[in-house]
């Protein structure tokens, strides 16, 4: 069986967990805090980042490489779309959330509200958090715009762009970075994701010492 | 014909140009300075980043999405390798250079030595440049390690990992960020890349007002 090295608030681990659940790939979870830089973990992935997906013969890292590997090897529930142009759009939006949303919204929230709380016991910087919340607003305007024209993020079918976006947004939401007011399209879309049995287990998890806002795992939020 | 919106020192544009040259895909170059945030360019790519590859019917952005599209649609010279595990290794190393090397080495060098020189006319920060050079050292240790065991970065065959690494490294080298001393494996590998007719045109280009070091386009360096 695959082992997935992850931690609860790692958005890239959430993406792979959500993808595996959709594709009915069983994984055993192994908790890893990459900031501890354990030698045994650096041997698995010299980049020092979660997630790592490994079995007896293969060790995969980089969440995009893992995700493409799963699409290539597991036929059930294809999530990249059919046709090269459609897949390019799925990959563009996946990268948007994995890189742009992550850097502008999730990284500062993780640094200020997770890392300082749980690891270094420092005081969060209010200005950094506000900047992340403002960046989230702009991303949600773009989400609304896309969802005015499309049922799911990349088109008519649910796919990896939705999985990646849900993974990043769920971490930002856990850390109090998202104001849902005024984003009805995004809210309707995320509500549909929240009710998926493949996503619900992620929302039920808690990081010790760090509680999410009340609305976080509610279907009506 | 495809148009590629790019600028000379954009490592992701270089990656796509190198890949297109290897696959004999003709592209017309269109210069774009993404920091000017032109409305017409933001309509092509709301992320505001180069490269964008477009023709009369299709507009593609995000360099990984473009790269995968080219691999899927152009049979000539496949660069991802055969077999899912091999492709996962190619994609892992491509992401290593596109994300980790870019963030730790290329971003600070572009900010201090390109952007401040050509755009804002500020003074480069010596400490930031030194930190980027130290980060480059560590990446080159990893390169040497890989190349002790492998002919090319991801294995016996030339592929996208080499293309992506060459693109990032060539920009860092243009900006004086690379000390080749003591990295014989990396030097031999890069020398083989420099002599490829598909890569040489990139090395012949200059950004106005910004000269590379003497060794930059020499085969013997």
């Amino acid at each position: 069986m695959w082992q997935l090295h992850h931690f609860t608030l790692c958005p890239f681990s959430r993406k792979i967990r959500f993808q595996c659940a959709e594709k009915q790939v069983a994984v055993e979870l192994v908790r890893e805090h990459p900031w501890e830089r354990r030698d045994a973990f650096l041997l698995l992935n010299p980049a020092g980042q979660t997630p790592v997906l490994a079995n007896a013969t293969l060790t995969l890292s980089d969440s995009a490489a893992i995700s493409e590997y799963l699409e290539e090897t597991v036929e059930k529930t294809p999530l990249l779309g059919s046709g090269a142009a459609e897949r390019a759009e799925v990959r563009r939006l996946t990268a948007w959330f994995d890189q742009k949303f992550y850097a502008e919204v999730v990284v500062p929230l993780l640094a200020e509200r997770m890392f300082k709380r749980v690891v270094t016991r420092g005081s969060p910087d209010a200005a950094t958090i506000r900047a992340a919340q403002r960046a989230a607003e702009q991303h949600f305007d773009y989400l609304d715009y896309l969802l005015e024209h499309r049922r799911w993020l990349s088109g008519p079918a649910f796919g990896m762009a939705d999985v990646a976006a849900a993974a990043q947004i769920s971490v930002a939401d856990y850390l109090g970075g998202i104001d849902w007011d005024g984003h009805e399209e995004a809210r309707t879309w995320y509500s549909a994701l929240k009710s998926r049995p493949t996503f619900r287990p992620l929302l039920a998890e808690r990081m010790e010492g760090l509680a999410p806002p009340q609305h976080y795992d509610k279907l009506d939020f």
Side-chain angles (χ1 to χ4, degrees), chain A:
Chain A
M1 204 213 269
W2 290 107
Q3 287 196 322
L4 185 76
H5 301 258
H6 84 118
F7 68 95
T8 294
L9 290 184
C10 168
F12 303 99
S13 303
R14 285 184 174 217
K15 178 177 75 171
I16 300 303
R17 291 174 66 186
F18 191 5
Q19 181 185 13
C20 284
E22 287 284 334
K23 299 178 86 68
Q24 296 183 19
V25 173
V27 293
E28 182 196 345
L29 297 175
V30 180
R31 192 165 69 170
E32 182 67 45
H33 291 157
W35 55 87
E36 294 169 0
R37 297 188 66 76
R38 292 192 314 117
D39 287 344
F41 183 62
L42 291 173
L43 279 175
L44 286 179
N45 179 13
Q49 293 161 342
T50 46
V52 171
L53 188 67
N55 62 19
T57 56
L58 202 57
T59 301
L60 305 173
S61 61
D62 177 68
S63 77
I66 295 172
S67 179
E68 296 278 350
Y69 179 89
L70 291 168
E71 290 305 314
E72 288 183 4
T73 56
V74 184
E75 256 180 68
K76 194 172 177 65
T77 322
L79 294 168
L80 281 175
S82 53
E86 206 178 295
R87 283 191 290 276
E89 179 66 354
V90 170
R91 290 186 178 116
R92 176 184 80 85
L93 288 165
T94 300
W96 183 293
F97 282 92
D98 278 357
Q99 290 169 37
K100 202 169 163 61
F101 187 91
Y102 175 67
E104 297 170 7
V105 181
V106 179
V107 165
L109 289 170
L110 278 174
E112 299 302 323
R113 289 209 163 138
M114 185 278 281
F115 202 70
K116 286 188 176 174
R117 176 75 165 266
V118 178
V119 186
T120 60
R121 313 267 165 189
S123 304
D125 180 62
T128 303
I129 292 171
R130 274 197 306 274
Q133 288 165 331
R134 276 196 305 272
E137 273 292 313
Q138 295 196 327
H139 284 280
F140 271 71
D141 288 345
Y142 187 52
L143 262 182
D144 288 341
Y145 163 80
L146 290 172
L147 292 164
E148 273 168 26
H149 304 87
R150 298 170 173 182
R151 169 75 183 88
W152 296 97
L153 276 193
S154 55
F158 171 84
M160 270 314 291
D162 303 288
V163 170
Q168 296 286 339
I169 287 170
S170 68
V171 172
D173 199 31
Y174 190 111
L175 297 166
I178 309 295
D179 180 358
W180 293 94
D181 278 354
H183 296 292
E184 284 318 307
E185 286 85 2
R187 192 202 294 259
T188 304
W189 163 82
Y190 194 59
S191 183
L193 287 166
K194 274 182 155 178
S195 61
R196 280 177 110 84
T198 48
F199 191 52
R200 291 195 63 72
L202 286 169
L203 298 179
E205 273 186 23
R206 296 293 176 269
M207 187 153 186
E208 311 92 283
L210 190 60
Q214 284 269 326
H215 72 262
Y216 170 70
D217 57 359
K218 301 261 191 304
L219 289 181
D220 182 18
F221 57 105

